[in-house]
Amino acid sequence: FRNLHIGNTVGAEVNTAWSNELGMTGFGLDVNRVSLQSNNLGDRNRNVVSFFAEHRFQLLNRQLDITPGILFNYFSDFDANFLPGVDVGLQVTNNLKLHGNIGYTYRVPTFTDLYYEDRANIGNENLQPEAALTYELGLRYQKRDFLIQASGFSRQGTDLIDWTKAID
């Protein structure tokens, strides 16, 4: 099955951060336009705006850092949303660091998820974005050029997007 696509993304991103008595504050803005011309998926466009704000607190003589943040996402073909999260790090020794995070994630369907069609697959133009709450906990050991790290990760999702085959 033959598919011919021409896709373009045009965008701009600006980030800034500054230190203050309470730690470090960061902001960022990303704006882009995605366009697609396809013999299978049709002519599609999507505008995306993302804005984030975060602040890193350093406590206990810089042994503990806590970084809460929030991301605002706007997709022209889906609802806007806010995605909060927090990162935490604890320097246990000079070489050993414990880290963890928790946050919400969001993924909009791709144009392929929505509109693709061939003899064996059919997209679903009624798909909604998937959402998830993610957790991670890890440990990092570094001494000179030696580094070892391990992390555990969990993702609890809703409205997950996946391709399946119908059972006859």
Side-chain angles (χ1 to χ4, degrees), residues 23-38:
M24 182 172 286
T25 303
F27 292 98
L29 176 67
D30 183 308
V31 179
N32 65 66
R33 178 173 176 83
V34 178
S35 63
L36 179 72
Q37 295 81 42
S38 169

Side-chain angles (χ1 to χ4, degrees), residues 52-163:
F52 80 87
E54 65 182 14
H55 184 81
R56 182 177 184 192
F57 296 93
Q58 292 183 314
L59 309 166
L60 304 175
N61 266 351
R62 298 181 174 254
Q63 298 298 304
L64 175 66
D65 57 81
I66 302 172
T67 309
I70 192 160
L71 172 71
F72 168 78
N73 266 344
Y74 166 77
F75 293 85
S76 57
D77 48 346
F78 293 97
D79 292 335
N81 58 71
F82 289 91
L83 304 168
V86 65
D87 297 329
V88 178
L90 178 63
Q91 195 72 45
V92 180
T93 69
N94 286 340
N95 306 104
L96 186 65
K97 185 169 187 174
L98 178 66
H99 62 87
N101 62 60
I102 183 171
Y104 286 94
T105 62
Y106 180 85
R107 182 176 86 84
V108 299
T110 65
F111 294 134
T112 300
D113 294 328
L114 295 166
Y115 306 111
Y116 185 78
E117 190 172 326
D118 65 17
R119 284 170 268 180
N121 302 288
I122 300 174
N124 181 348
E125 64 184 67
N126 297 312
L127 282 175
Q128 293 300 305
E130 65 182 39
L133 179 61
T134 61
Y135 310 86
E136 182 182 12
L137 185 62
L139 200 57
R140 175 186 172 114
Y141 179 84
Q142 184 170 10
K143 189 167 185 176
R144 294 190 192 102
D145 293 336
F146 178 76
L147 169 68
I148 187 168
Q149 61 184 26
S151 294
F153 181 87
S154 175
R155 183 174 191 264
Q156 299 170 348
T158 57
D159 298 323
L160 299 179
I161 298 167
D162 198 1
W163 289 84

